Amino acid sequence: MTDPTPVVVPPPRPGLRVALVKPDFGVSGGFERVVDRVERALRADGHEVTRRTVDLPALPRRAFGVDVSEAAWAQAPEFFRYAAAVDAFSGEDLSRFDAVVSTQPPSFAAPHPHHLSLFFHHHRVFYDLEDLYVEAGFASDPDLHREAARRVRELDAPHLDDVAWYAAGSETVRRRLGRFNGMDRVSLFHAGLGVGRSPGDPAVRPGPEAPATPADAPARTGAVLCVGRLEFPKRTELLVAALHRLPGVAGVIVGTGGRHDWIRAVDRHLGAPGVDLDAVDERRLWCSTGLLDPDDPLGVASPTTGARSNITLAGAVDDATLSHLYATAPCVVAPAHDEDYGLTAIEAMAHGAPVIVCTDGGGLADLVTHEVDGLVVEPTGAAIATAVERVLTDRDLAAGLAEGGRRRADATTWRRADAQLRVALALALEHEAVHA
Amino acid sequence: MPADDHRSPDPARDEAARLVGEVADRAEAAAERTDRPPLGRAARAAIDDARGHLDAASRSAGAGTEIPSEARLRQLKQAALVGMRPVTSYQVPFNRDVLAALDRVVTVVEDLASRAEGFDDGLDNQVHRLQAALATLDLQVGDLDADAHDVAGTVDSLVEAVEAIRREQATHGRALAELRSRVDATLRATREAAAAAAAGPGRTTTASADRAAEDAGRPSVTGRPVDPALVRRLADGGRPLELAEWAEVLLPVVEAAAALGPVLDLESGRGEWLGAWVAAGLDATGADDDPEHRAELTDRGLDVVPAAPLAALVQAAAAAPPADRGSADATGHGGNRLGAVTAAVLADVIELDELVAVVDAAREALAPGGALVLASASPRGRRRGDVQWVDPRRRPVDARLLTALALDRGFAEADVIDLGGDTGRSGGGKPRAHALVARVAGGA
């Protein structure tokens, strides 16, 4: 790969004082690695970077001068927590900095005339996931949730207007910014790999990435792999449904989350003797709260006997183990709905594993070209099972997809992401926010 | 879930709904406070100033028609004013009309200023879109460049792979040709051994000797094979001394073809043609399966391979990559393929099926535009006592047969060149001959 040197937008001069603004959710995941990498890239370009974080769990139950009672807070916790965070970020004094780079929402509310937002998503339950959130039953009061969603969008609007430039995490996110906010000051920022392809995890190290596949790569005799948080709407349930159609095929699901017990119960439910997989309402499996309810009409929580399973819930694994699973998986399935980006797919491609995603996978579907560097199928267990079977039985197809995937992954480097970041920062410096 | 009018009262829910609204309203108000006025600072100040003046003026619109209540001598002034009413009564409506007109002007100016701001914003938006597109394009150019490098790398790899396959194929082809030669030799030796065993000790035979007897109209009535050494001696006797002269006639043709690749001279014999080609500076190699002939040629410093005509041609074709067939490279050179295949004594001393095989093999071995040159005794010289007919293998081959055969087997052009010789009916004189010059398609 050659260095994608910008030819139109000159990079910003070195020596800028940059505030990297981020909410602290009290967890450390893939996005935190991305932010770490961004900080290193900014420093490598000669800028002085200061982290400014807002500890969200520590915020009081108070927003814009309004004290919210515990009982009222419990009725719409997502709204009040979010409003309190917007209040906190919008009150930040960042005037001493030359530029601000914000990260997760609502850090875009931090005021600064030269504000670059690394925008990976809105607060999705109030935007693109509003309907699914209600359909799944997460909103105890759907009317209140919809009203809160309307209010959040109003609340966000002026702050989003104030951002000088956006670097969207994917085409999907760029489309959402246009759809919800009419935003056109948007370029792209495709993060590189989260899981290193060589010892030492180059994902957080500057410099060229390691080759995708070492010469002594193990054979792809492992289990069909799925990596991601066990949360709504990752739709891990669809992979479970697919693998029960392929009882001779082993599957491993890596990740933790609030739906762990639910997914295990779904696995038992679908593995019970006599279950007609064609008659299962798969949408109800994944579009639900994931809480085990004995009165659940699907009967997922009901006791079963004689259930068979070909699926291992591996929980959290370290990078070395995950790399090994990627490197030995005959294919990686990413069934999530409307993902912001799809880092899992890129990581799988980098490890030479054919990727299977769904047509409504958002950023995942953006990354994969059907039958070129992966398979894009309908979001059903049957369709995913057929795709897995194709990859397992058609060696030429699998080899072709693996090769295509490697090429795609090779193009998604941190070096390229650094160039995208430079361009976006230069544009943010060139623009002065409307409300400055 | 639709709203349920009969839902039991839920104070916490109601409070939450109220607080959601209150928080949002306050947030909106806070955002508005930081809002910039819709107009530029200078424009806003001017508009505000104009409105201030209008407000002040409106308060004095009735000036000249009223006396303030606290004024001194108010009664007297009032009386004087009344006296002037015919004049001042027009002033107040005039003042108010002017103020109203100015107010409208200010409103229009403000609207125009706002529109101008809006136009700027619209322009900004266009610029934003353009910049976003450029930023994306910028990186896409880099991506395309990288893709192009990847494709170029892949093409290079493919070219290398194809070259490796060609080399491997050539190796296999050579091995196959050698194998065929060995098989041919073995079969020939077996046939001869079998014939010798049938004829008794001290005698050998060959198919050509039998054929020579048949051609001479004298079937092997003895049932015993003819001694091949005798056949060879007779063939040598029938080898015309004029072969070198014929080479001079044919040299321009062979020289032109040699520009496309090396020359292979089949059944080189005493090397009359091979020597002529080499003397002319051409890259020429001979082929002969007679060890005595090869030894003689080698002693003269000529390059000769031990192979019968067909084996030599198969070997040459196998050594050249398949892609070269029918296409010259950029220099017009036919790669490893032959520029010319020549044979002074071949076309009319072998069986027709072998001749067909030789013509086919030559076509495969020749570079595009390459030439096959086969000399043949003119049948008309047979009755005249032409020395060539001493060769017992010789068969009358009409010139038209040669051209028809070459065109039938895929050559693009076929001509016959008269090599001269005496035409009289009396015996002796120079032998009469002609040569087929056939070219494969392509070339310059």
Side-chain angles (χ1 to χ4, degrees):
Chain A
M1 291 290 296
T2 55
D3 191 4
T5 306
V7 295
V8 177
V9 183
R13 61 177 169 79
L16 294 174
R17 291 165 300 176
V18 180
L20 189 57
V21 188
K22 185 183 179 310
D24 184 354
F25 296 100
V27 295
S28 182
F31 197 85
E32 279 65 31
R33 292 184 177 198
V34 171
V35 175
D36 287 345
R37 185 62 181 76
V38 166
E39 180 176 346
R40 286 172 184 268
L42 289 170
R43 289 186 190 282
D45 280 355
H47 305 308
E48 177 191 309
V49 183
T50 303
R51 285 277 190 121
R52 294 291 285 264
T53 56
V54 170
D55 186 359
L56 296 193
L59 288 176
R61 285 199 302 275
R62 179 182 175 84
F64 294 100
V66 178
D67 289 316
V68 182
S69 69
E70 190 173 346
W73 188 283
Q75 289 291 315
E78 293 283 351
F79 173 84
F80 290 120
R81 196 178 297 125
Y82 187 73
V86 172
D87 190 12
F89 276 108
S90 61
E92 286 280 306
D93 179 8
L94 303 170
S95 55
R96 76 178 180 86
F97 295 100
D98 299 314
V100 162
V101 178
S102 65
T103 55
Q104 294 119 309
S107 59
F108 56 74
H112 197 278
H114 301 298
H115 182 155
L116 168 65
S117 172
L118 293 183
F119 199 87
F120 277 72
H121 56 84
H122 294 83
H123 194 322
R124 297 185 62 190
V125 299
F126 297 130
Y127 284 86
D128 54 290
L129 286 183
E130 180 188 347
D131 291 337
L132 273 185
Y133 186 80
V134 171
E135 181 187 344
F138 285 107
S140 58
D141 185 333
D143 293 339
L144 182 59
H145 180 76
R146 290 194 185 283
E147 172 63 9
R150 185 181 70 81
R151 289 297 207 162
V152 162
R153 294 200 286 263
E154 287 178 356
L155 187 153
D156 281 346
H159 301 295
L160 292 168
D161 276 349
D162 277 358
V163 171
W165 197 264
Y166 287 88
S170 68
E171 274 295 346
T172 291
V173 174
R174 172 142 80 171
R175 284 196 295 272
R176 286 186 203 147
L177 274 167
R179 174 185 159 201
F180 290 108
N181 309 104
M183 198 57 64
D184 53 16
R185 304 188 298 274
V186 189
S187 54
L188 291 175
F189 172 75
H190 286 132
L193 298 184
V195 174
R197 290 184 287 184
S198 67
D201 190 1
V204 291
R205 291 165 186 270
E209 277 115 317
T213 307
D216 57 349
R220 299 205 162 271
T221 54
V224 172
L225 183 63
C226 179
V227 181
R229 286 179 295 113
L230 304 183
E231 299 291 358
F232 173 85
K234 297 288 185 183
R235 293 198 302 208
T236 314
E237 295 87 349
L238 286 184
L239 175 64
V240 174
L243 288 176
H244 275 285
R245 290 172 181 270
L246 304 168
V249 176
V252 169
I253 296 170
V254 171
T256 59
R259 295 175 85 86
H260 177 278
D261 293 347
W262 168 260
I263 287 166
R264 176 49 75 204
V266 168
D267 179 31
R268 279 199 306 269
H269 175 68
L270 298 182
V275 169
D276 180 0
L277 293 172
D278 289 332
V280 172
D281 185 349
E282 291 177 341
R283 187 173 179 86
R284 292 285 297 279
L285 288 182
W286 66 264
C287 192
S288 65
T289 59
L291 300 174
L292 290 172
D293 179 358
D295 298 327
D296 168 23
L298 294 176
V300 171
S302 305
T304 55
T305 55
R308 291 172 177 272
S309 176
N310 50 345
I311 297 164
T312 303
L313 293 184
V317 300
D318 58 26
D319 279 359
T321 304
L322 184 54
S323 277
H324 176 75
L325 290 172
Y326 273 131
T328 56
C331 63
V332 173
V333 181
H337 169 84
D338 201 15
E339 274 282 88
D340 304 324
Y341 178 36
L343 200 56
T344 299
I346 285 291
E347 287 176 349
M349 288 173 174
H351 286 87
V355 179
I356 298 168
V357 302
C358 294
T359 50
D360 59 356
L364 284 166
D366 287 345
L367 285 172
V368 179
T369 304
H370 184 55
E371 293 185 344
V372 174
D373 42 26
L375 295 178
V376 186
V377 301
E378 291 299 312
T380 65
I384 293 171
T386 302
V388 170
E389 199 164 28
R390 279 188 72 191
V391 172
L392 290 175
T393 56
D394 188 340
R395 288 188 173 188
D396 289 343
L397 174 71
L401 298 181
E403 186 54 35
R406 282 197 193 96
R407 281 199 300 272
R408 171 61 69 104
D410 285 345
T412 311
T413 61
W414 274 111
R415 192 167 49 176
R416 183 170 182 272
D418 291 347
Q420 291 175 323
L421 177 66
R422 263 179 228 119
V423 168
L425 183 59
L427 289 166
L429 290 164
E430 194 174 299
H431 285 272
E432 186 154 335
V434 174
H435 294 268
Chain B
M1 187 184 298
D4 183 359
D5 293 335
H6 303 290
R7 187 167 44 202
S8 58
D10 182 347
R13 189 267 175 201
D14 292 343
E15 187 191 1
R18 180 181 64 77
L19 289 173
V20 165
E22 188 175 341
V23 166
D25 287 344
R26 291 211 186 186
E28 191 178 348
E32 278 178 2
R33 279 197 300 277
T34 61
D35 252 6
R36 194 176 66 166
L39 297 182
R41 196 166 295 165
R44 168 53 55 195
I47 294 288
D48 290 348
D49 188 47
R51 290 198 182 286
H53 282 296
L54 285 173
D55 285 346
S58 68
R59 287 194 293 274
S60 306
T65 62
E66 293 175 356
I67 303 299
S69 55
E70 67 277 14
R72 294 175 57 193
L73 302 174
R74 185 171 185 279
Q75 295 295 334
L76 183 62
K77 290 175 181 172
Q78 190 67 39
L81 202 60
V82 169
M84 291 182 69
R85 183 154 294 161
V87 176
T88 60
S89 60
Y90 296 101
Q91 187 62 44
V92 171
F94 173 78
N95 290 348
R96 286 179 180 155
D97 283 346
V98 168
L99 287 172
L102 284 174
D103 187 58
R104 281 174 176 257
V105 168
V106 169
T107 302
V108 169
V109 168
E110 188 175 30
D111 182 51
L112 285 174
S114 298
R115 284 168 188 263
E117 287 282 333
F119 178 76
D120 284 348
D121 287 346
L123 203 59
D124 279 350
N125 288 339
Q126 296 299 328
V127 171
H128 295 157
R129 289 193 187 96
L130 189 62
Q131 284 175 317
L134 286 175
T136 305
L137 186 67
D138 208 9
L139 294 160
Q140 282 173 344
V141 167
D143 291 349
L144 285 174
D145 187 39
D147 288 347
H149 276 80
D150 287 349
V151 169
T154 305
V155 169
D156 287 347
S157 303
L158 284 172
V159 167
E160 284 175 14
V162 168
E163 285 298 326
I165 290 170
R166 283 176 174 174
R167 285 193 294 274
E168 194 175 350
Q169 194 178 26
T171 304
H172 290 324
R174 278 193 294 275
L176 186 62
E178 286 170 10
L179 185 62
R180 280 175 178 164
S181 295
R182 281 200 295 273
V183 168
D184 286 348
T186 304
L187 286 173
R188 195 181 306 124
T190 305
R191 278 199 302 271
E192 287 176 356
R203 302 298 297 249
T204 59
T205 187
T206 64
S208 59
D210 285 345
R211 196 188 65 224
E214 289 167 11
D215 285 350
R218 292 178 280 103
S220 179
V221 292
T222 63
R224 289 176 298 186
V226 181
D227 181 2
L230 171 63
V231 173
R232 190 181 303 119
R233 285 196 300 276
L234 292 173
D236 283 349
R239 194 173 184 90
L241 298 173
E242 291 76 10
L243 286 178
E245 293 175 25
W246 297 351
E248 285 179 29
V249 175
L250 294 168
L251 183 58
V253 172
V254 177
E255 208 163 27
L260 302 171
V263 179
L264 177 62
D265 184 55
L266 304 173
E267 289 282 281
S268 299
R270 292 174 186 159
E272 296 90 338
W273 280 19
L274 178 62
W277 308 150
V278 171
L282 306 184
D283 176 11
T285 302
D288 204 309
D289 57 353
D290 186 321
E292 291 178 18
H293 287 158
R294 287 203 305 277
E296 183 184 335
L297 297 173
T298 305
D299 286 347
R300 287 168 56 191
L302 297 171
D303 189 13
V304 59
V305 296
L310 194 56
L313 288 169
V314 169
Q315 195 166 337
D324 282 350
R325 290 172 192 165
S327 65
D329 63 18
T331 62
H333 198 278
N336 294 330
R337 309 199 71 75
L338 299 172
V341 173
T342 62
V345 182
L346 183 67
D348 53 354
V349 300
I350 56 176
E351 295 288 353
L352 180 62
D353 61 341
E354 192 178 354
L355 177 60
V356 172
V358 165
V359 170
D360 285 347
R363 189 195 62 233
E364 291 295 307
L366 283 167
L372 170 64
V373 180
L374 298 176
S376 165
S378 170
R380 279 183 288 177
R382 188 180 187 187
R383 285 191 299 274
R384 194 173 50 81
D386 191 324
V387 69
Q388 295 176 96
W389 298 94
V390 174
D391 187 340
R393 303 168 303 168
R394 189 83 66 181
R395 291 181 298 110
V397 174
D398 192 278
R400 288 166 297 184
L401 183 149
L402 291 174
T403 54
L405 174 63
L407 294 173
D408 182 80
R409 306 312 291 179
F411 280 82
E413 299 171 20
D415 293 312
V416 169
I417 293 177
D418 188 354
L419 296 174
D422 293 334
T423 55
R425 287 184 176 273
S426 59
K430 287 190 174 182
R432 186 169 176 77
H434 47 238
L436 167 73
V437 176
R439 287 190 179 82
V440 294

